[in-house]
Amino acid sequence: MDSASNDRAQLPRNMIENSMFEEEPDVVDLAKEPNINPLESEEVEYEPRSSRLLVRGLGEHEMDDDEDDYESSAKLLGMSFMNRSSGLRNNSGNYRQVQEGLCPTPSARTVIVSVVLVVILVSVVTVIYLLPKCTFTKEGCHKQTHPMELIYPIATNGELFPWTKSRLPNYIKPLEYDITLYPNLNTMEFSGKVNIRLNITGNPKAIVLHSSGLQDMQANVTIGGVIHNLTVLEYPPFEMIAMVLPDTPMKVTECLLSLEYRSNLSSSYYGFYRISYVDESNNSSWLAATQFEPLAARKAFPCFDEPAFKSSFRLKIKRSDEHIAISNMPKINTTVLPDGLQLDEFATSVKMSTYLVAIIVSKMKSITADVNGTSVSVYAIPQKIDQAQYALTAAATLLEFFSEYFRIKYPLAKLDLVAIPDIQAGAMENWGLLTFRETTLLYKENSSSLMDKQLITQVIAHELAHQWFGNLVTMEWWNDLWLNEGFATYMEYFALRSRFPDLNSDDNFLKARCDALEKDSLQTTHAISTDVQSPEQIAEIFDDLSYIKGAAVLQMLNAYLTEAVFHECIVKYLQDHKYGTTKSDGLWDSMNLVTKSNPDVKNMMKTWTQQAGYPLVTVVKKGKEVIVSQERFLRTVNSSSGNSSTLWHVPLSYTFGPCEGPTCSSSFLLLQKQDKIVLPSEPSWLKFNVNMTGYYIVDYGPDGWDALINQLHNNHTVFSASDRANLIHDIFVLSSVGKVPLSKTFELLAYLEKEMDIAPIRQALHQVHNIQSLLAKQDFTFLARRAEERIFDLLSPQINKQEWTDDGTLSEQELRSLLLDLACTHNDAGCTHNAMDLFDKWQYNGTSLPTAVKKIVYKVGAHADDRWEYLYSMYSKSLSEAEKIKMLEGLASTDNGKKVQWCVIYQHHDMSPAGEIFFSFLFTCDLH
């Protein structure tokens, strides 16, 4: 490659494109015309990737980095590449050296370069006149009235594919699917037949829908009673197929599309997949299951695989008589076929999106209960069905709660919860057929702990909340995923607080919000409602921001509006949009109808859903006056690099002391960069973000922090446990960017010797662990050890009070597990002695271990080779996934590098959730 090519290849893509189009009048610059969106406009379309017009700011349709793509695109416009600076860089080399006073004689190279430049100049001038939409006349370039010619992608058979966008057209919509599938668990293939009744608008040229990996496709369409065979065109980059319709005027508004195909059951956990497990006879057995969210229904049947294309579904499943089949709706009929197979037919579903369709073919067993006319069942493999009772009880309680709270009865006749032996997702909310990891559904008495019960209940609550938020009302497109996941996450904690108060969900929610704030303070964060188009972009937004930040801003709104008003708002939203799809604005509009726009919820909440990050609120107290200001917080050394123009409508809550009565707590809506609050009296201390219900952090300044620290030391119970955890979180975060001295954070932590609640202790341990890790990475091992010793010394009084039992509430058991784990990790002699004693009694006497401390006992015991071997043998026999995870953590804690390496080799095939967790622990071990 020549030097000019090398220089060009090193330029950023947008610089290359812009240099080609400088001052060209007829090139559409989408970066300057934000209203033109090639993925949505119906007037101008561009061919993706290959052989397309080069257009600046095209986003998803930008050029590839490959040099050939630039070259071919330039040729489409009759242009060649020019490096505008190359001629200047080597200017001195273009002429021979001559004596002073004599005219220089140009070299042959100079003549050639000059001729080339003239030719290029003439070509550019010609192109200016011959660009699309221009006509060459004596007066110059006149705009033509005809639109830009469409350039289409190429299908796999070499023909033009009649659609150019990554999103489906809206001129044909599905009304009903009739689907027959036969998953053959012997050949690991499946065949399918789909009839789709379609609604037609206008006179379309082709039917375009999604399909991925489906083979031997045969298609026909029935229009006005006449059947037309169709050629199927496939365009894999968009996972689409298209069928060109007969060249006859459409005289009907409906048609019937029929397709037959075959494919392989996936070996992944996505689409229509197969997994194996060990049955009761210790033999391998297979089942087939589906996971369609977000874009995998197209891998099982051709469909309109976007959330907005809701439709009803009629499913039929072929199976052998040794299996059962379950789907979203109840089974209404079973027919024995001539080949001995059985055909299960399921009732027609309510209108729903394709990603919620679900099918399972297996040998599972179930237990069932009736809940106000709805049949609720829990499925598991036969040897684990005895672990299903708690899930059935919890599901029944939560189903009643949500139906009552939302004022909309669960709309289906049945609800199945299925424990899949091997599944990647934690759980999935398929309407009427929820799928779970075994660890998030199955509970075994005397083996699972109260913490396991808490997890199971939370996950069931989350998936049941989706039956309304996500299934009944669905986001229109994946950019508003938070409408599904944020609401389901918020409702999972709210439901547990309402129906299972002993499971202590508030502390878990607070910890989750702190984790989300940590990630949302990075430059790489994104708004919770953000534009996504490609499958990769869609997959990326299934993160803590969509789930936890979405839930956090809803909790903040709840606290600001009051629980009663917020409740009315979400009931109104569900009623307004049931069985349909909507955007974020649909939620805010429904809420404003309840609040009568006082406050204007839409105007307020857009600042939280459409902007990345969150505010740092700075508080300055001057007597009774409090000056509050906001700026975006970024976790950088120079945190002031945050965008100062970014403003939120921040619902500040605050309390102060000394004070008595209702005026000691209040709220204030901060709408601008800075504002003032006037208190009824001058406080000695002032605390904002009461119970950490707001999604922001607060800096009180040196005097404000000193006042709060003094109050914590004098009487920390003035603040709730959530407020104490909030103060620990905020001061450490501010210290990490240099706004508060690190010494001040440990001054605050000194009160911990009197702390007995899990939330502040867990937050303190997390923050100190972050500091230890940072110091260790910088080789400040002495300082890292000092930090560990300091937190251990502060918590020693509480550690010494702990008993190795299952006594007490969930919160007390969580604290016991946390503190004893800290002590044994610190190699406290008393802790390790007790743990080894319990391990030996379990190994040699068969004594049951307290569930709250099992993990600690396993971790300490596994340091000895003989105990490690026994632990591994018990792991191999265990039928409880919750138990196996604790054992795996113990196995990974060994100091014996050979055993760890052996596990890596022999456990590599174990891709179950327990296996994934095992490997996460392996990478934290020191290999000797």
Side-chain angles (χ1 to χ4, degrees):
M1 183 180 292
D2 61 25
S3 62
S5 297
N6 280 326
D7 290 339
R8 185 169 61 249
Q10 292 168 6
L11 288 172
R13 181 186 307 174
N14 64 321
M15 290 180 65
I16 297 173
E17 296 173 359
N18 290 343
S19 68
M20 293 178 58
F21 289 101
E22 195 168 316
E23 299 179 357
E24 301 296 344
D26 291 305
V27 177
V28 179
D29 189 344
L30 294 177
K32 296 180 180 178
E33 298 291 339
N35 293 328
I36 301 177
N37 186 341
L39 294 176
E40 297 181 358
S41 170
E42 298 294 340
E43 297 179 0
V44 181
E45 299 171 12
Y46 304 95
E47 178 188 356
R49 303 190 68 80
S50 60
S51 304
R52 58 194 167 215
L53 292 177
L54 189 59
V55 179
R56 283 179 289 171
L58 197 57
E60 182 179 272
H61 298 294
E62 285 182 354
M63 294 299 299
D64 292 334
D65 290 332
D66 192 292
E67 190 70 37
D68 292 336
D69 280 353
Y70 292 123
E71 202 62 40
S72 62
S73 298
K75 289 175 182 176
L76 282 174
L77 297 176
M79 304 178 72
S80 60
F81 281 94
M82 294 185 296
N83 191 305
R84 299 177 186 268
S85 61
S86 60
L88 298 176
R89 284 195 302 271
N90 300 313
N91 196 352
S92 61
N94 289 338
Y95 295 92
R96 299 189 186 115
Q97 297 294 322
V98 297
Q99 296 179 1
E100 185 178 356
L102 296 179
C103 295
T105 302
S107 66
R109 179 182 178 187
T110 302
V111 173
I112 294 172
V113 170
S114 299
V115 171
V116 171
L117 287 174
V118 170
V119 172
I120 291 174
L121 182 61
V122 172
S123 300
V124 170
V125 173
T126 303
V127 167
I128 291 175
Y129 285 96
L130 297 182
L131 277 171
K133 298 188 179 181
C134 288
T135 303
F136 182 76
T137 68
K138 292 181 179 180
E139 291 75 26
C141 177
H142 286 193
K143 298 275 183 164
Q144 292 183 347
T145 57
H146 64 267
M148 185 181 290
E149 182 180 356
L150 300 179
I151 301 176
Y152 290 97
I154 304 300
T156 52
N157 65 353
E159 296 184 27
L160 290 177
F161 192 80
W163 188 246
T164 63
K165 303 178 184 179
S166 62
R167 297 274 296 275
L168 291 175
N170 58 13
Y171 51 72
I172 295 182
K173 297 181 179 179
L175 298 175
E176 184 180 68
Y177 293 80
D178 190 330
I179 304 171
T180 302
L181 294 172
Y182 171 38
N184 189 323
L185 291 174
N186 294 317
T187 65
M188 300 304 164
E189 296 180 336
F190 71 93
S191 58
K193 180 176 181 179
V194 180
N195 296 317
I196 313 175
R197 188 160 57 89
L198 303 172
N199 177 263
I200 305 168
T201 302
N203 190 21
K205 302 296 183 183
I207 299 173
V208 182
L209 65 162
H210 288 112
S211 174
S212 178
L214 305 180
Q215 306 160 17
D216 299 337
M217 189 84 68
Q218 304 294 320
N220 65 67
V221 64
T222 303
I223 304 174
V226 179
I227 299 177
H228 303 270
N229 291 324
L230 301 175
T231 299
V232 179
L233 303 176
E234 184 178 4
Y235 188 60
F238 287 174
E239 297 187 334
M240 287 181 183
I241 57 172
M243 291 137 286
V244 178
L245 291 169
D247 191 16
T248 57
M250 299 290 285
K251 298 180 181 179
V252 296
T253 59
E254 290 188 13
C255 68
L256 182 67
L257 176 67
S258 299
L259 305 107
E260 294 190 37
Y261 56 93
R262 67 172 184 84
S263 188
N264 297 315
L265 291 169
S266 172
S267 58
S268 71
Y269 301 93
Y270 196 46
F272 200 4
Y273 66 93
R274 56 182 170 84
I275 57 170
S276 66
Y277 61 93
V278 178
D279 64 17
E280 293 171 293
S281 302
N282 208 33
N283 297 318
S284 291
S285 189
W286 291 91
L287 66 79
T290 57
Q291 170 62 42
F292 289 161
E293 189 182 46
L295 306 172
R298 63 193 70 177
K299 296 179 181 293
F301 57 94
C303 58
F304 296 77
D305 201 11
E306 296 177 11
F309 289 101
K310 282 193 167 184
S311 180
S312 58
F313 295 82
R314 287 191 296 159
L315 277 91
K316 303 181 186 72
I317 307 297
K318 290 183 184 179
R319 58 173 175 84
S320 65
D321 58 2
E322 64 178 338
H323 293 104
I324 63 166
I326 50 179
S327 186
N328 306 82
M329 303 300 291
K331 183 170 64 176
I332 57 175
N333 188 44
T334 297
T335 304
V336 179
L337 302 176
D339 58 4
L341 296 175
Q342 298 190 10
L343 181 68
D344 291 331
E345 182 178 354
F346 299 89
T348 301
S349 75
V350 294
K351 286 183 65 176
M352 63 183 183
S353 303
T354 49
Y355 77 89
L356 294 172
V357 175
I359 301 154
I360 296 175
V361 177
S362 70
K363 299 177 182 178
M364 290 185 174
K365 302 294 184 182
S366 66
I367 58 174
T368 303
D370 182 270
V371 181
N372 297 327
T374 300
S375 177
V376 179
S377 300
V378 178
Y379 286 80
I381 59 175
Q383 62 266 39
K384 296 184 180 180
I385 193 63
D386 62 328
Q387 303 175 39
Q389 184 58 52
Y390 176 74
L392 183 63
T393 303
T397 300
L398 289 164
L399 186 64
E400 286 183 328
F401 170 74
F402 284 132
S403 294
E404 177 185 335
Y405 185 78
F406 296 140
R407 301 175 193 165
I408 299 175
K409 189 179 184 298
Y410 174 73
L412 305 187
K414 65 96 174 173
L415 174 68
D416 296 336
L417 297 84
V418 184
I420 305 288
D422 200 359
I423 181 175
Q424 190 172 52
M428 178 60 201
E429 69 267 21
N430 315 298
W431 213 347
L433 181 55
L434 316 183
T435 54
F436 300 79
R437 289 183 180 180
E438 290 183 335
T439 51
T440 59
L441 190 67
L442 302 182
Y443 180 84
K444 188 173 183 179
E445 294 290 344
N446 301 320
S447 177
S448 301
S449 66
L450 276 180
M451 286 77 88
D452 296 325
K453 179 179 286 189
Q454 179 193 58
L455 172 65
I456 290 167
T457 314
Q458 280 187 204
V459 177
I460 293 174
H462 183 100
E463 304 311 324
L464 279 181
H466 268 309
Q467 307 305 294
W468 287 264
F469 288 101
N471 299 6
L472 184 68
V473 180
T474 311
M475 81 261 142
E476 189 172 296
W477 180 242
W478 297 104
N479 61 301
D480 280 323
L481 174 68
W482 84 273
L483 279 178
N484 286 15
E485 299 299 348
F487 255 115
T489 302
Y490 170 78
M491 290 308 305
E492 100 185 38
Y493 292 110
F494 179 80
L496 262 67
R497 184 166 68 246
S498 301
R499 285 292 184 270
F500 299 88
D502 57 313
L503 293 183
N504 197 32
S505 66
D506 285 345
D507 286 346
N508 273 6
F509 192 18
L510 186 142
K511 179 182 180 298
R513 298 198 303 276
C514 290
D515 293 342
L517 286 167
E518 187 171 329
K519 296 176 182 177
D520 204 17
S521 64
L522 304 176
Q523 287 276 18
T524 53
T525 188
H526 62 83
I528 58 175
S529 184
T530 186
D531 180 54
V532 292
Q533 297 293 341
S534 69
E536 294 79 11
Q537 291 172 335
I538 293 169
E540 285 172 0
I541 63 170
F542 282 81
D543 61 8
D544 278 359
L545 300 180
S546 296
Y547 286 71
I548 308 301
K549 183 178 180 179
V553 298
L554 290 171
Q555 176 179 260
M556 180 171 62
L557 183 59
N558 183 332
Y560 184 66
L561 295 179
T562 73
E563 169 59 39
V565 174
F566 183 80
H567 183 197
E568 293 300 321
C569 286
I570 61 176
V571 168
K572 173 68 174 169
Y573 166 69
L574 290 173
Q575 291 287 356
D576 288 347
H577 301 285
K578 59 184 178 182
Y579 298 108
T581 59
T582 189
K583 303 177 181 179
S584 292
D585 279 353
L587 171 63
W588 311 137
D589 289 339
S590 293
M591 288 190 162
N592 270 349
L593 290 174
V594 175
T595 65
K596 296 180 172 57
S597 296
N598 185 25
D600 186 342
V601 177
K602 185 175 186 177
N603 195 32
M604 171 186 173
M605 295 308 294
K606 277 189 172 184
T607 68
W608 294 96
T609 59
Q610 296 182 2
Q611 296 183 144
Y614 58 88
L616 163 64
V617 175
T618 301
V619 176
V620 178
K621 183 173 67 70
K622 298 179 179 179
K624 293 192 299 182
E625 293 184 354
V626 181
I627 307 301
V628 289
S629 59
Q630 62 164 301
E631 63 178 312
R632 181 179 174 183
F633 177 75
L634 287 172
R635 192 180 286 266
T636 60
V637 174
N638 182 15
S639 59
S640 61
S641 62
N643 186 354
S644 59
S645 65
T646 304
L647 294 177
W648 289 263
H649 292 188
V650 189
L652 300 174
S653 58
Y654 60 90
T655 184
F656 58 92
C659 184
E660 294 181 1
T663 59
C664 297
S665 296
S666 191
S667 62
F668 179 82
L669 188 61
L670 178 60
L671 301 174
Q672 52 203 20
K673 177 73 175 176
Q674 187 178 96
D675 212 331
K676 180 173 65 176
I677 302 172
V678 180
L679 303 176
S681 60
E682 181 176 355
S684 62
W685 56 264
L686 178 64
K687 165 71 172 68
F688 276 79
N689 200 1
V690 177
N691 290 322
M692 201 179 172
T693 55
Y695 193 76
Y696 54 89
I697 64 173
V698 185
D699 186 4
Y700 299 92
D703 293 339
W705 280 115
D706 284 343
L708 289 165
I709 291 170
N710 288 335
Q711 183 59 49
L712 283 169
H713 290 173
N714 292 332
N715 181 11
H716 67 282
T717 60
V718 166
F719 305 108
S720 68
S722 296
D723 276 332
R724 301 195 297 271
N726 178 216
L727 290 172
I728 293 170
H729 171 270
D730 285 7
I731 197 169
F732 270 91
V733 169
L734 293 169
S735 175
S736 71
V737 296
K739 285 186 172 290
V740 176
L742 185 59
S743 59
K744 188 70 67 176
T745 65
F746 280 92
E747 186 181 338
L748 183 147
L749 286 189
Y751 97 92
L752 282 180
E753 58 189 5
K754 298 178 288 186
E755 182 63 77
M756 290 302 299
D757 279 282
I758 179 71
I761 292 177
R762 181 158 54 188
Q763 186 59 217
L765 288 172
H766 173 72
Q767 297 296 344
V768 172
H769 175 72
N770 287 345
I771 293 175
Q772 286 179 259
S773 299
L774 181 61
L775 291 171
K777 288 176 182 177
Q778 299 297 323
D779 279 337
F780 296 120
T781 53
F782 174 73
L783 291 176
R785 189 165 58 252
R786 286 289 302 276
E788 178 187 0
E789 290 172 352
R790 177 59 176 154
I791 194 72
F792 180 77
D793 290 343
L794 287 171
L795 295 174
S796 290
Q798 294 92 315
I799 292 172
N800 294 331
K801 294 178 182 177
Q802 302 306 314
E803 300 290 339
W804 294 74
T805 69
D806 278 335
D807 295 341
T809 64
L810 172 61
S811 180
E812 291 168 340
Q813 289 190 31
E814 282 186 301
L815 181 61
R816 179 179 305 135
S817 177
L818 189 67
L819 292 175
L820 292 177
D821 195 21
L822 171 67
C824 286
T825 302
H826 192 70
N827 291 320
D828 177 75
C831 183
T832 55
H833 171 78
N834 287 330
M836 286 189 290
D837 183 56
L838 284 171
F839 193 103
D840 290 341
K841 289 179 179 178
W842 171 60
Q843 178 177 357
Y844 297 112
N845 302 333
T847 305
S848 297
L849 294 174
T851 58
V853 297
K854 270 187 178 182
K855 181 178 69 174
I856 304 163
V857 173
Y858 295 152
K859 287 170 67 175
V860 173
H863 283 80
D865 286 350
D866 59 331
R867 295 189 182 100
W868 191 96
E869 297 288 352
Y870 180 75
L871 182 60
Y872 182 77
S873 69
M874 297 304 292
Y875 163 78
S876 303
K877 300 174 185 176
S878 176
L879 292 178
S880 168
E881 283 297 317
E883 177 89 354
K884 292 179 78 171
I885 285 178
K886 297 180 183 70
M887 290 179 172
L888 283 171
E889 187 166 352
L891 291 168
S893 299
T894 179
D895 294 326
N896 188 322
K898 291 183 178 180
K899 290 189 180 298
V900 174
Q901 291 168 353
W902 185 89
C903 285
V904 171
I905 295 171
Y906 287 93
Q907 289 293 325
H908 183 65
H909 70 281
D910 183 6
M911 297 305 292
S912 66
E916 293 174 12
I917 293 173
F918 174 75
F919 283 110
S920 73
F921 287 119
L922 286 183
F923 290 116
T924 66
C925 293
D926 293 326
L927 298 182
H928 300 295

